Amino acid sequence: MKNTFQIGILVVCAAAFLMAGLNLSFGAPAYTDMDDYMLAHGQEETGSNNIVTGVVFDYRGFDTLGEATVLFTVVLGAGLVFRRLGKKEDEYEYE
């Protein structure tokens, strides 16, 4: 029974990944006026010679800060979980 359930979940996950892969579309990205604006004015507005750096840290600074905060929180949480697991294993070894 347990193996049948696991195989069923595997089939459902494989089907979901297959459908997602088949629905991907590749090609030229949509043209927007924002692309031209950032290329024309990016260096003078951000002071950066690299337009990618200017976009990430100046135009999208709050978004980048939020992503860094989420990553820091995940790493900190994982570290605390593994630290507690290590302490519990040590306690059981001495009994």
Side-chain angles (χ1 to χ4, degrees):
M1 177 70 177
K2 187 175 180 180
N3 287 338
T4 307
F5 182 70
Q6 291 174 346
I7 291 172
I9 289 178
L10 180 65
V11 168
V12 169
C13 289
F17 283 124
L18 183 64
M19 291 302 295
L22 292 175
N23 288 329
L24 288 175
S25 61
F26 297 100
Y31 175 78
T32 62
D33 292 331
M34 186 61 65
D35 302 336
D36 290 335
Y37 177 80
M38 287 189 183
L39 289 173
H41 303 290
Q43 186 176 15
E44 60 193 40
E45 288 182 358
T46 64
S48 173
N49 289 330
N50 186 343
I51 189 63
V52 175
T53 304
V55 169
V56 169
F57 290 112
D58 288 332
Y59 291 121
R60 300 195 46 142
F62 287 117
D63 183 47
T64 304
L65 180 63
E67 291 169 1
T69 303
V70 168
L71 289 174
F72 176 75
T73 306
V74 168
V75 169
L76 184 65
L80 290 174
V81 166
F82 287 127
R83 182 175 177 197
R84 285 191 179 166
L85 289 176
K87 284 185 178 180
K88 287 182 182 179
E89 290 174 1
D90 289 340
E91 292 173 2
Y92 293 125
E93 287 179 11
Y94 294 114
E95 289 182 4

PDB file of all heavy atoms in Angstrom, residues 48-74:
ATOM      1  N   SER A  48      26.606  54.189 -12.504  1.00  0.00           N
ATOM      2  CA  SER A  48      27.278  52.907 -12.690  1.00  0.00           C
ATOM      3  C   SER A  48      27.606  52.695 -14.165  1.00  0.00           C
ATOM      4  O   SER A  48      26.791  52.975 -15.035  1.00  0.00           O
ATOM      5  CB  SER A  48      26.369  51.777 -12.202  1.00  0.00           C
ATOM      6  OG  SER A  48      26.918  50.536 -12.510  1.00  0.00           O
ATOM      7  N   ASN A  49      28.804  52.212 -14.447  1.00  0.00           N
ATOM      8  CA  ASN A  49      29.165  51.905 -15.827  1.00  0.00           C
ATOM      9  C   ASN A  49      28.538  50.606 -16.313  1.00  0.00           C
ATOM     10  O   ASN A  49      28.413  50.390 -17.503  1.00  0.00           O
ATOM     11  CB  ASN A  49      30.685  51.813 -15.972  1.00  0.00           C
ATOM     12  CG  ASN A  49      31.328  53.169 -15.860  1.00  0.00           C
ATOM     13  OD1 ASN A  49      30.731  54.183 -16.211  1.00  0.00           O
ATOM     14  ND2 ASN A  49      32.548  53.189 -15.365  1.00  0.00           N
ATOM     15  N   ASN A  50      28.153  49.746 -15.398  1.00  0.00           N
ATOM     16  CA  ASN A  50      27.517  48.479 -15.742  1.00  0.00           C
ATOM     17  C   ASN A  50      26.014  48.642 -15.559  1.00  0.00           C
ATOM     18  O   ASN A  50      25.529  48.825 -14.443  1.00  0.00           O
ATOM     19  CB  ASN A  50      28.057  47.361 -14.842  1.00  0.00           C
ATOM     20  CG  ASN A  50      27.557  46.001 -15.219  1.00  0.00           C
ATOM     21  OD1 ASN A  50      26.578  45.856 -15.947  1.00  0.00           O
ATOM     22  ND2 ASN A  50      28.226  44.986 -14.698  1.00  0.00           N
ATOM     23  N   ILE A  51      25.240  48.545 -16.638  1.00  0.00           N
ATOM     24  CA  ILE A  51      23.800  48.802 -16.563  1.00  0.00           C
ATOM     25  C   ILE A  51      23.085  47.737 -15.734  1.00  0.00           C
ATOM     26  O   ILE A  51      22.108  48.022 -15.052  1.00  0.00           O
ATOM     27  CB  ILE A  51      23.173  48.924 -17.970  1.00  0.00           C
ATOM     28  CG1 ILE A  51      21.725  49.397 -17.878  1.00  0.00           C
ATOM     29  CG2 ILE A  51      23.250  47.631 -18.732  1.00  0.00           C
ATOM     30  CD1 ILE A  51      21.562  50.762 -17.300  1.00  0.00           C
ATOM     31  N   VAL A  52      23.599  46.501 -15.751  1.00  0.00           N
ATOM     32  CA  VAL A  52      22.964  45.449 -14.956  1.00  0.00           C
ATOM     33  C   VAL A  52      23.094  45.769 -13.471  1.00  0.00           C
ATOM     34  O   VAL A  52      22.133  45.651 -12.704  1.00  0.00           O
ATOM     35  CB  VAL A  52      23.577  44.068 -15.284  1.00  0.00           C
ATOM     36  CG1 VAL A  52      23.014  42.994 -14.374  1.00  0.00           C
ATOM     37  CG2 VAL A  52      23.338  43.724 -16.744  1.00  0.00           C
ATOM     38  N   THR A  53      24.264  46.186 -13.049  1.00  0.00           N
ATOM     39  CA  THR A  53      24.467  46.571 -11.658  1.00  0.00           C
ATOM     40  C   THR A  53      23.589  47.755 -11.296  1.00  0.00           C
ATOM     41  O   THR A  53      23.010  47.804 -10.209  1.00  0.00           O
ATOM     42  CB  THR A  53      25.947  46.917 -11.416  1.00  0.00           C
ATOM     43  OG1 THR A  53      26.738  45.804 -11.797  1.00  0.00           O
ATOM     44  CG2 THR A  53      26.208  47.262  -9.969  1.00  0.00           C
ATOM     45  N   GLY A  54      23.486  48.723 -12.190  1.00  0.00           N
ATOM     46  CA  GLY A  54      22.641  49.878 -11.939  1.00  0.00           C
ATOM     47  C   GLY A  54      21.180  49.499 -11.770  1.00  0.00           C
ATOM     48  O   GLY A  54      20.490  50.011 -10.885  1.00  0.00           O
ATOM     49  N   VAL A  55      20.700  48.604 -12.588  1.00  0.00           N
ATOM     50  CA  VAL A  55      19.296  48.182 -12.488  1.00  0.00           C
ATOM     51  C   VAL A  55      19.062  47.425 -11.192  1.00  0.00           C
ATOM     52  O   VAL A  55      18.099  47.684 -10.467  1.00  0.00           O
ATOM     53  CB  VAL A  55      18.900  47.318 -13.707  1.00  0.00           C
ATOM     54  CG1 VAL A  55      17.559  46.651 -13.487  1.00  0.00           C
ATOM     55  CG2 VAL A  55      18.863  48.158 -14.966  1.00  0.00           C
ATOM     56  N   VAL A  56      19.949  46.482 -10.870  1.00  0.00           N
ATOM     57  CA  VAL A  56      19.737  45.642  -9.686  1.00  0.00           C
ATOM     58  C   VAL A  56      19.826  46.445  -8.400  1.00  0.00           C
ATOM     59  O   VAL A  56      18.991  46.306  -7.514  1.00  0.00           O
ATOM     60  CB  VAL A  56      20.741  44.465  -9.672  1.00  0.00           C
ATOM     61  CG1 VAL A  56      20.718  43.737  -8.345  1.00  0.00           C
ATOM     62  CG2 VAL A  56      20.444  43.504 -10.800  1.00  0.00           C
ATOM     63  N   PHE A  57      20.820  47.309  -8.284  1.00  0.00           N
ATOM     64  CA  PHE A  57      21.038  47.978  -7.009  1.00  0.00           C
ATOM     65  C   PHE A  57      20.388  49.352  -6.889  1.00  0.00           C
ATOM     66  O   PHE A  57      20.183  49.834  -5.779  1.00  0.00           O
ATOM     67  CB  PHE A  57      22.535  48.095  -6.720  1.00  0.00           C
ATOM     68  CG  PHE A  57      23.165  46.780  -6.408  1.00  0.00           C
ATOM     69  CD1 PHE A  57      24.076  46.216  -7.270  1.00  0.00           C
ATOM     70  CD2 PHE A  57      22.822  46.095  -5.270  1.00  0.00           C
ATOM     71  CE1 PHE A  57      24.652  44.988  -6.990  1.00  0.00           C
ATOM     72  CE2 PHE A  57      23.383  44.866  -4.976  1.00  0.00           C
ATOM     73  CZ  PHE A  57      24.303  44.314  -5.847  1.00  0.00           C
ATOM     74  N   ASP A  58      20.048  49.997  -7.993  1.00  0.00           N
ATOM     75  CA  ASP A  58      19.435  51.321  -7.891  1.00  0.00           C
ATOM     76  C   ASP A  58      17.954  51.305  -8.235  1.00  0.00           C
ATOM     77  O   ASP A  58      17.123  51.756  -7.460  1.00  0.00           O
ATOM     78  CB  ASP A  58      20.171  52.318  -8.788  1.00  0.00           C
ATOM     79  CG  ASP A  58      21.537  52.662  -8.242  1.00  0.00           C
ATOM     80  OD1 ASP A  58      21.715  52.607  -7.018  1.00  0.00           O
ATOM     81  OD2 ASP A  58      22.430  52.983  -9.038  1.00  0.00           O
ATOM     82  N   TYR A  59      17.611  50.794  -9.396  1.00  0.00           N
ATOM     83  CA  TYR A  59      16.207  50.778  -9.778  1.00  0.00           C
ATOM     84  C   TYR A  59      15.405  49.753  -8.983  1.00  0.00           C
ATOM     85  O   TYR A  59      14.252  49.961  -8.670  1.00  0.00           O
ATOM     86  CB  TYR A  59      16.047  50.482 -11.277  1.00  0.00           C
ATOM     87  CG  TYR A  59      16.532  51.604 -12.172  1.00  0.00           C
ATOM     88  CD1 TYR A  59      17.531  51.375 -13.100  1.00  0.00           C
ATOM     89  CD2 TYR A  59      15.987  52.874 -12.092  1.00  0.00           C
ATOM     90  CE1 TYR A  59      17.974  52.384 -13.932  1.00  0.00           C
ATOM     91  CE2 TYR A  59      16.426  53.883 -12.899  1.00  0.00           C
ATOM     92  CZ  TYR A  59      17.415  53.631 -13.833  1.00  0.00           C
ATOM     93  OH  TYR A  59      17.857  54.633 -14.646  1.00  0.00           O
ATOM     94  N   ARG A  60      16.024  48.621  -8.668  1.00  0.00           N
ATOM     95  CA  ARG A  60      15.320  47.552  -7.972  1.00  0.00           C
ATOM     96  C   ARG A  60      15.950  47.278  -6.609  1.00  0.00           C
ATOM     97  O   ARG A  60      15.993  46.146  -6.151  1.00  0.00           O
ATOM     98  CB  ARG A  60      15.339  46.296  -8.823  1.00  0.00           C
ATOM     99  CG  ARG A  60      14.665  46.525 -10.157  1.00  0.00           C
ATOM    100  CD  ARG A  60      14.356  45.273 -10.832  1.00  0.00           C
ATOM    101  NE  ARG A  60      13.746  44.347  -9.901  1.00  0.00           N
ATOM    102  CZ  ARG A  60      12.773  43.532 -10.232  1.00  0.00           C
ATOM    103  NH1 ARG A  60      12.300  43.548 -11.424  1.00  0.00           N
ATOM    104  NH2 ARG A  60      12.285  42.686  -9.366  1.00  0.00           N
ATOM    105  N   GLY A  61      16.421  48.294  -5.954  1.00  0.00           N
ATOM    106  CA  GLY A  61      17.137  48.139  -4.694  1.00  0.00           C
ATOM    107  C   GLY A  61      16.316  47.521  -3.585  1.00  0.00           C
ATOM    108  O   GLY A  61      16.792  46.660  -2.857  1.00  0.00           O
ATOM    109  N   PHE A  62      15.065  47.956  -3.432  1.00  0.00           N
ATOM    110  CA  PHE A  62      14.237  47.408  -2.362  1.00  0.00           C
ATOM    111  C   PHE A  62      13.909  45.936  -2.618  1.00  0.00           C
ATOM    112  O   PHE A  62      13.855  45.137  -1.688  1.00  0.00           O
ATOM    113  CB  PHE A  62      12.949  48.213  -2.202  1.00  0.00           C
ATOM    114  CG  PHE A  62      13.168  49.550  -1.566  1.00  0.00           C
ATOM    115  CD1 PHE A  62      12.895  50.712  -2.259  1.00  0.00           C
ATOM    116  CD2 PHE A  62      13.661  49.642  -0.281  1.00  0.00           C
ATOM    117  CE1 PHE A  62      13.108  51.939  -1.685  1.00  0.00           C
ATOM    118  CE2 PHE A  62      13.880  50.870   0.313  1.00  0.00           C
ATOM    119  CZ  PHE A  62      13.606  52.028  -0.399  1.00  0.00           C
ATOM    120  N   ASP A  63      13.706  45.581  -3.866  1.00  0.00           N
ATOM    121  CA  ASP A  63      13.457  44.186  -4.209  1.00  0.00           C
ATOM    122  C   ASP A  63      14.679  43.332  -3.882  1.00  0.00           C
ATOM    123  O   ASP A  63      14.556  42.248  -3.308  1.00  0.00           O
ATOM    124  CB  ASP A  63      13.107  44.069  -5.697  1.00  0.00           C
ATOM    125  CG  ASP A  63      12.757  42.660  -6.103  1.00  0.00           C
ATOM    126  OD1 ASP A  63      11.961  42.028  -5.384  1.00  0.00           O
ATOM    127  OD2 ASP A  63      13.268  42.203  -7.130  1.00  0.00           O
ATOM    128  N   THR A  64      15.857  43.816  -4.228  1.00  0.00           N
ATOM    129  CA  THR A  64      17.095  43.090  -3.934  1.00  0.00           C
ATOM    130  C   THR A  64      17.306  42.978  -2.427  1.00  0.00           C
ATOM    131  O   THR A  64      17.716  41.927  -1.928  1.00  0.00           O
ATOM    132  CB  THR A  64      18.289  43.799  -4.590  1.00  0.00           C
ATOM    133  OG1 THR A  64      18.038  43.918  -5.987  1.00  0.00           O
ATOM    134  CG2 THR A  64      19.578  43.040  -4.357  1.00  0.00           C
ATOM    135  N   LEU A  65      17.002  44.024  -1.682  1.00  0.00           N
ATOM    136  CA  LEU A  65      17.119  43.984  -0.229  1.00  0.00           C
ATOM    137  C   LEU A  65      16.159  42.960   0.362  1.00  0.00           C
ATOM    138  O   LEU A  65      16.505  42.214   1.278  1.00  0.00           O
ATOM    139  CB  LEU A  65      16.852  45.364   0.372  1.00  0.00           C
ATOM    140  CG  LEU A  65      16.949  45.484   1.883  1.00  0.00           C
ATOM    141  CD1 LEU A  65      18.371  45.187   2.342  1.00  0.00           C
ATOM    142  CD2 LEU A  65      16.520  46.870   2.324  1.00  0.00           C
ATOM    143  N   GLY A  66      14.949  42.890  -0.173  1.00  0.00           N
ATOM    144  CA  GLY A  66      13.980  41.903   0.298  1.00  0.00           C
ATOM    145  C   GLY A  66      14.442  40.482   0.029  1.00  0.00           C
ATOM    146  O   GLY A  66      14.301  39.601   0.881  1.00  0.00           O
ATOM    147  N   GLU A  67      14.998  40.245  -1.162  1.00  0.00           N
ATOM    148  CA  GLU A  67      15.501  38.907  -1.482  1.00  0.00           C
ATOM    149  C   GLU A  67      16.651  38.519  -0.560  1.00  0.00           C
ATOM    150  O   GLU A  67      16.719  37.376  -0.097  1.00  0.00           O
ATOM    151  CB  GLU A  67      15.964  38.860  -2.937  1.00  0.00           C
ATOM    152  CG  GLU A  67      14.835  38.971  -3.934  1.00  0.00           C
ATOM    153  CD  GLU A  67      15.326  39.180  -5.348  1.00  0.00           C
ATOM    154  OE1 GLU A  67      16.557  39.227  -5.558  1.00  0.00           O
ATOM    155  OE2 GLU A  67      14.478  39.286  -6.246  1.00  0.00           O
ATOM    156  N   ALA A  68      17.535  39.459  -0.292  1.00  0.00           N
ATOM    157  CA  ALA A  68      18.657  39.173   0.606  1.00  0.00           C
ATOM    158  C   ALA A  68      18.160  38.882   2.020  1.00  0.00           C
ATOM    159  O   ALA A  68      18.702  37.999   2.702  1.00  0.00           O
ATOM    160  CB  ALA A  68      19.634  40.345   0.618  1.00  0.00           C
ATOM    161  N   THR A  69      17.125  39.577   2.457  1.00  0.00           N
ATOM    162  CA  THR A  69      16.560  39.344   3.785  1.00  0.00           C
ATOM    163  C   THR A  69      15.941  37.959   3.881  1.00  0.00           C
ATOM    164  O   THR A  69      16.124  37.252   4.880  1.00  0.00           O
ATOM    165  CB  THR A  69      15.507  40.418   4.109  1.00  0.00           C
ATOM    166  OG1 THR A  69      16.117  41.707   3.999  1.00  0.00           O
ATOM    167  CG2 THR A  69      14.926  40.232   5.491  1.00  0.00           C
ATOM    168  N   VAL A  70      15.228  37.549   2.842  1.00  0.00           N
ATOM    169  CA  VAL A  70      14.625  36.213   2.831  1.00  0.00           C
ATOM    170  C   VAL A  70      15.710  35.147   2.865  1.00  0.00           C
ATOM    171  O   VAL A  70      15.616  34.173   3.633  1.00  0.00           O
ATOM    172  CB  VAL A  70      13.707  36.044   1.599  1.00  0.00           C
ATOM    173  CG1 VAL A  70      13.311  34.591   1.413  1.00  0.00           C
ATOM    174  CG2 VAL A  70      12.477  36.923   1.726  1.00  0.00           C
ATOM    175  N   LEU A  71      16.747  35.294   2.048  1.00  0.00           N
ATOM    176  CA  LEU A  71      17.827  34.307   2.038  1.00  0.00           C
ATOM    177  C   LEU A  71      18.535  34.233   3.390  1.00  0.00           C
ATOM    178  O   LEU A  71      18.852  33.146   3.882  1.00  0.00           O
ATOM    179  CB  LEU A  71      18.823  34.634   0.930  1.00  0.00           C
ATOM    180  CG  LEU A  71      18.326  34.387  -0.488  1.00  0.00           C
ATOM    181  CD1 LEU A  71      19.362  34.894  -1.491  1.00  0.00           C
ATOM    182  CD2 LEU A  71      18.053  32.931  -0.719  1.00  0.00           C
ATOM    183  N   PHE A  72      18.785  35.372   4.010  1.00  0.00           N
ATOM    184  CA  PHE A  72      19.433  35.398   5.320  1.00  0.00           C
ATOM    185  C   PHE A  72      18.565  34.695   6.358  1.00  0.00           C
ATOM    186  O   PHE A  72      19.065  33.920   7.187  1.00  0.00           O
ATOM    187  CB  PHE A  72      19.705  36.840   5.752  1.00  0.00           C
ATOM    188  CG  PHE A  72      20.291  36.954   7.127  1.00  0.00           C
ATOM    189  CD1 PHE A  72      21.615  36.627   7.354  1.00  0.00           C
ATOM    190  CD2 PHE A  72      19.511  37.374   8.191  1.00  0.00           C
ATOM    191  CE1 PHE A  72      22.157  36.720   8.632  1.00  0.00           C
ATOM    192  CE2 PHE A  72      20.037  37.466   9.458  1.00  0.00           C
ATOM    193  CZ  PHE A  72      21.365  37.142   9.682  1.00  0.00           C
ATOM    194  N   THR A  73      17.256  34.932   6.316  1.00  0.00           N
ATOM    195  CA  THR A  73      16.345  34.315   7.268  1.00  0.00           C
ATOM    196  C   THR A  73      16.313  32.802   7.101  1.00  0.00           C
ATOM    197  O   THR A  73      16.304  32.057   8.080  1.00  0.00           O
ATOM    198  CB  THR A  73      14.931  34.900   7.105  1.00  0.00           C
ATOM    199  OG1 THR A  73      14.998  36.324   7.214  1.00  0.00           O
ATOM    200  CG2 THR A  73      13.979  34.353   8.144  1.00  0.00           C
ATOM    201  N   VAL A  74      16.317  32.341   5.855  1.00  0.00           N
ATOM    202  CA  VAL A  74      16.310  30.891   5.599  1.00  0.00           C
ATOM    203  C   VAL A  74      17.587  30.248   6.111  1.00  0.00           C
ATOM    204  O   VAL A  74      17.549  29.199   6.766  1.00  0.00           O
ATOM    205  CB  VAL A  74      16.115  30.618   4.094  1.00  0.00           C
ATOM    206  CG1 VAL A  74      16.399  29.176   3.760  1.00  0.00           C
ATOM    207  CG2 VAL A  74      14.721  31.004   3.661  1.00  0.00           C
TER     208      VAL A  74
END
